Amino acid sequence: MAKILIVEARFYDHLNDLLLAGARAAIEDAGHVHETITVPGALEIPGAIALASESGRYDGYVAIGVVIRGETYHFEIVAGESARGLMALSMDGLCIGNGILTTENEAQALTRARPTEKDKGGEAAKAAIAMLALRERFGR
């Protein structure tokens, strides 16, 4: 049984609730346990995962958040840099599922967040679990 940390950037409560429901259900359905922590924004998710990994308390991680395009370049920075940070951590051997939605509008985010539709929270959790299985397969 793996212990998975869900790290969420809670900005859009109603969207995060849907992503979290999907992630938690997928983790529990796979027979694992989870904890959830909240950080200020998507840019802080990789840093929080890096800090948590130093504790040795978690086997895998799920990143949850929503970034909706606005009127400024900020969207590109947050979307790109949060993904880059998660990728760097995964290249260092951490098992991470990326459930940070980057959408044009709230309607797209709702479709992706709902467990009854695209279930990106559940998919992110399943990705983390799949990476845990790969790590075990390769004896790490």
Side-chain angles (χ1 to χ4, degrees):
M1 174 173 46
K3 186 168 188 180
I4 298 174
L5 180 65
I6 301 170
V7 181
E8 70 158 339
R10 181 162 281 273
F11 191 79
Y12 300 98
D13 288 341
H14 64 296
L15 298 170
N16 269 53
D17 288 344
L18 294 167
L19 289 167
L20 283 169
R24 289 172 173 159
I27 293 166
E28 292 166 8
D29 288 349
H32 303 300
V33 296
H34 57 81
E35 283 184 39
T36 302
I37 61 168
T38 302
V39 297
L43 288 174
E44 288 75 39
I45 292 174
I49 290 174
L51 290 171
S53 73
E54 293 174 6
S55 75
R57 292 176 22 200
Y58 304 100
D59 302 300
Y61 305 88
V62 179
I64 297 288
V66 180
V67 183
I68 297 175
R69 185 180 299 279
E71 297 177 2
T72 68
Y73 185 69
H74 185 69
F75 172 87
E76 283 81 6
I77 292 171
V78 174
E81 291 302 311
S82 61
R84 185 196 59 76
L86 293 176
M87 182 57 66
L89 291 168
S90 68
M91 295 299 290
D92 286 341
L94 297 185
C95 299
I96 302 172
N98 184 353
I100 301 174
L101 302 183
T102 53
T103 64
E104 295 292 324
N105 54 55
E106 185 176 342
Q108 289 178 351
L110 275 168
T111 297
R112 285 158 179 75
R114 286 186 185 116
T116 56
E117 293 184 55
K118 301 249 183 208
D119 192 21
K120 294 300 183 180
E123 286 186 13
K126 290 174 185 175
I129 293 165
M131 294 305 292
L132 285 168
L134 275 178
R135 182 171 65 193
E136 186 175 314
R137 178 180 174 186
F138 294 124
R140 287 194 62 191

Short mmCIF file of all heavy atoms in Angstrom, two decimals, residues 6 10 31 46 87 130:
data_model
loop_
_atom_site.label_atom_id
_atom_site.label_comp_id
_atom_site.label_asym_id
_atom_site.label_seq_id
_atom_site.Cartn_x
_atom_site.Cartn_y
_atom_site.Cartn_z
N ILE A 6 -1.38 14.42 -2.14
CA ILE A 6 -2.03 15.29 -3.11
C ILE A 6 -1.68 16.72 -2.73
O ILE A 6 -1.91 17.14 -1.60
CB ILE A 6 -3.56 15.10 -3.10
CG1 ILE A 6 -3.94 13.65 -3.40
CG2 ILE A 6 -4.22 16.06 -4.09
CD1 ILE A 6 -5.41 13.34 -3.17
N ARG A 10 -5.33 25.72 -4.40
CA ARG A 10 -6.78 25.98 -4.31
C ARG A 10 -7.05 27.43 -4.65
O ARG A 10 -6.84 28.33 -3.86
CB ARG A 10 -7.29 25.65 -2.91
CG ARG A 10 -8.79 25.87 -2.78
CD ARG A 10 -9.34 25.15 -1.58
NE ARG A 10 -9.52 23.74 -1.82
CZ ARG A 10 -10.62 23.21 -2.35
NH1 ARG A 10 -11.62 23.97 -2.71
NH2 ARG A 10 -10.71 21.93 -2.52
N GLY A 31 -6.34 0.92 -3.61
CA GLY A 31 -5.92 0.36 -2.33
C GLY A 31 -4.82 1.13 -1.63
O GLY A 31 -4.15 0.61 -0.74
N PRO A 46 5.38 22.41 -7.35
CA PRO A 46 6.65 21.65 -7.43
C PRO A 46 7.52 21.84 -6.19
O PRO A 46 8.13 20.88 -5.70
CB PRO A 46 7.33 22.22 -8.68
CG PRO A 46 6.20 22.73 -9.52
CD PRO A 46 5.20 23.28 -8.52
N MET A 87 8.07 18.20 -14.13
CA MET A 87 8.87 17.33 -14.99
C MET A 87 10.28 17.15 -14.44
O MET A 87 10.82 16.05 -14.43
CB MET A 87 8.92 17.89 -16.41
CG MET A 87 9.69 16.99 -17.37
SD MET A 87 9.05 15.30 -17.50
CE MET A 87 7.47 15.59 -18.24
N ALA A 130 0.77 4.49 -11.65
CA ALA A 130 1.47 3.77 -12.72
C ALA A 130 2.98 3.98 -12.62
O ALA A 130 3.76 3.03 -12.82
CB ALA A 130 0.97 4.22 -14.08
#
